[in-house]
Amino acid sequence: MFIMSYIFNSAVLGSMFAVPSQVVDNYIKLASASQLKTLLWICRHISEPIDPAIISREIGYSVGDVEDALTVIASWGVLIGTDVTVSPAPAAVEEPKKEEPQKHFDDISASKPSSEQIMTRCKEDPEIPAMFADIEKMLGKTLGYDSRSILLMMHDHYGLPIEVIYMLVDYCKSVGKSGFSYISKVGKTWGEREIDTIEKADEQIKILNSCNRLWTDFAEMAGIQNPRPSSSQSAYLRTWSVELKFNAEMIYLAYEEMLNHTSKLSFPYMNKILMNWHSKGIKTPDDIEKEKEEYRRKKSPAAKSDASYDINEFIKRGEALPVYKKGS
């Protein structure tokens, strides 16, 4: 078997731009594709304003994904807010563990079946039109060509069984996002993670619902208006609740601690705080207070008395306190 080897094409060196070495050294294993593409765009357009809408259009990710990427890149020390004081780049922080997808699919919009192909599949498999009818009842609306294309591709292209698609659509409806753009995005994620059984789907929905409840409780405490977390925020919430076992109150306390250092909501910064607490065995608000008290005690130790006698002992014995005169 012949294996091609490669060397760098030095002919392309005529036009270059720099990428911060600290990103490659500390974050390349942790960075997602959207974060790296956003960073490369910024480095290539170093003198231009950073506009999430423009970046979104040029790198092929949603504005929300770009904004999430900018938050993470800022935590690397690469970006500086225009309303904050410049500070040294932070050390590498441990990012939430993310499952490596075993598969990667193209978006459905890039490979939709034709109307004729949909009709053919309906004739080949009577469960397909039955699925369309059931989901119409579930959502209370008639499915058009785009909706049917998405459902069919989720089944044929992403490999999701019909019963799993029912569970997926029902979950999306339960969180108030029954649009097929969102359903398609969730379907792609489930396909890549091979959530292809009722048991796997049930476990995934439990985790998603838990993260949504956690966000609701935390957002209410923090006065945040967003009804749902972004995809990257959900990844952090999953790590904090499932792996680190922190509840909404502890996450809110990490948020308050974050506000002592930055005025902008930063999940990467909160992650650093929570990871630190976890490593120290801090699990409750009482544990936090104990650590603060210990820190204050070490910073401000009680002054030791220089007196060579015990005043209380003199009083107890009814003796007069010694009087020292100048020059004696």
Side-chain angles (χ1 to χ4, degrees):
M1 178 180 178
F2 175 74
I3 300 177
M4 176 70 75
S5 60
Y6 297 92
I7 61 172
F8 187 77
N9 179 12
S10 59
V12 303
L13 293 177
S15 177
M16 297 187 301
F17 59 90
V19 175
S21 59
Q22 72 178 45
V23 173
V24 179
D25 295 342
N26 298 328
Y27 302 103
I28 195 166
K29 288 180 67 176
L30 302 172
S32 67
S34 62
Q35 292 161 11
L36 289 176
K37 287 186 177 183
T38 300
L39 176 65
L40 288 174
W41 189 96
I42 293 170
C43 293
R44 177 65 179 85
H45 303 82
I46 196 70
S47 62
E48 299 179 21
I50 297 175
D51 186 332
I54 294 176
I55 299 175
S56 168
R57 187 166 60 250
E58 296 198 7
I59 70 173
Y61 282 85
S62 69
V63 173
D65 287 338
V66 172
E67 290 175 343
D68 290 341
L70 290 173
T71 299
V72 174
I73 294 170
S75 75
W76 297 343
V78 177
L79 303 179
I80 300 171
T82 56
D83 58 346
V84 298
T85 304
V86 177
S87 58
V93 297
E94 186 176 351
E95 297 288 330
K97 297 178 182 178
K98 298 180 181 179
E99 297 178 6
E100 290 293 333
Q102 299 180 12
K103 299 179 181 179
H104 177 73
F105 295 120
D106 293 330
D107 291 334
I108 286 176
S109 58
S111 53
K112 279 185 179 179
S114 65
S115 298
E116 291 75 16
Q117 289 173 322
I118 294 176
M119 291 178 62
T120 299
R121 286 292 289 118
C122 287
K123 292 177 181 178
E124 292 173 348
D125 186 351
E127 290 189 355
I128 299 297
M131 174 181 67
F132 293 157
D134 289 339
I135 291 179
E136 283 183 337
K137 293 178 182 177
M138 188 183 300
L139 299 180
K141 61 183 179 182
T142 302
L143 302 182
Y145 162 71
D146 286 339
S147 303
R148 291 174 179 239
S149 296
I150 289 170
L151 292 172
L152 182 60
M153 291 299 289
M154 284 167 57
H155 180 265
D156 288 357
H157 187 54
Y158 292 169
L160 300 182
I162 289 177
E163 59 270 20
V164 171
I165 294 175
Y166 286 151
M167 296 175 72
L168 185 154
V169 173
D170 185 62
Y171 164 75
C172 293
K173 179 184 177 183
S174 72
V175 297
K177 303 195 75 171
S178 55
F180 273 85
S181 175
Y182 183 77
I183 289 173
S184 174
K185 184 176 181 180
V186 175
K188 180 182 178 183
T189 300
W190 285 26
E192 290 175 339
R193 294 182 178 177
E194 298 184 323
I195 301 174
D196 51 10
T197 66
I198 292 176
E199 292 75 20
K200 290 179 181 178
D202 185 58
E203 180 64 24
Q204 177 70 5
I205 289 171
K206 286 179 180 178
I207 292 173
L208 291 171
N209 283 333
S210 175
C211 289
N212 288 336
R213 287 192 297 270
L214 189 63
W215 170 263
T216 299
D217 293 342
F218 162 69
E220 183 177 354
M221 294 178 187
I224 297 172
Q225 300 300 317
N226 294 351
R228 280 173 294 276
S230 67
S231 57
S232 65
Q233 288 171 338
S234 292
Y236 281 111
L237 290 171
R238 178 172 179 170
T239 296
W240 298 340
S241 62
V242 177
E243 298 180 21
L244 305 187
K245 308 299 183 184
F246 284 125
N247 59 21
E249 184 179 13
M250 290 296 288
I251 293 172
Y252 174 69
L253 291 175
Y255 167 78
E256 285 195 320
E257 180 66 24
M258 176 209 71
L259 291 179
N260 292 329
H261 305 278
T262 177
S263 60
K264 184 178 180 181
L265 176 63
S266 171
F267 267 47
Y269 203 113
M270 291 169 61
N271 183 62
K272 183 178 180 181
I273 295 168
L274 289 166
M275 286 291 188
N276 181 48
W277 287 350
H278 180 71
S279 68
K280 293 180 177 179
I282 296 174
K283 301 177 181 179
T284 67
D286 286 342
D287 292 339
I288 296 174
E289 287 304 315
K290 289 177 183 177
E291 192 210 24
K292 288 182 178 179
E293 182 61 33
E294 179 67 15
Y295 177 79
R296 287 191 291 265
R297 188 187 67 79
K298 289 181 179 179
K299 292 290 287 185
S300 303
K304 295 182 179 180
S305 174
D306 293 326
S308 59
Y309 54 84
D310 187 335
I311 293 177
N312 291 327
E313 186 63 26
F314 272 96
I315 295 173
K316 187 185 299 182
R317 296 204 306 262
E319 299 178 8
L321 295 177
V323 177
Y324 296 96
K325 296 181 179 180
K326 187 175 181 181
S328 61

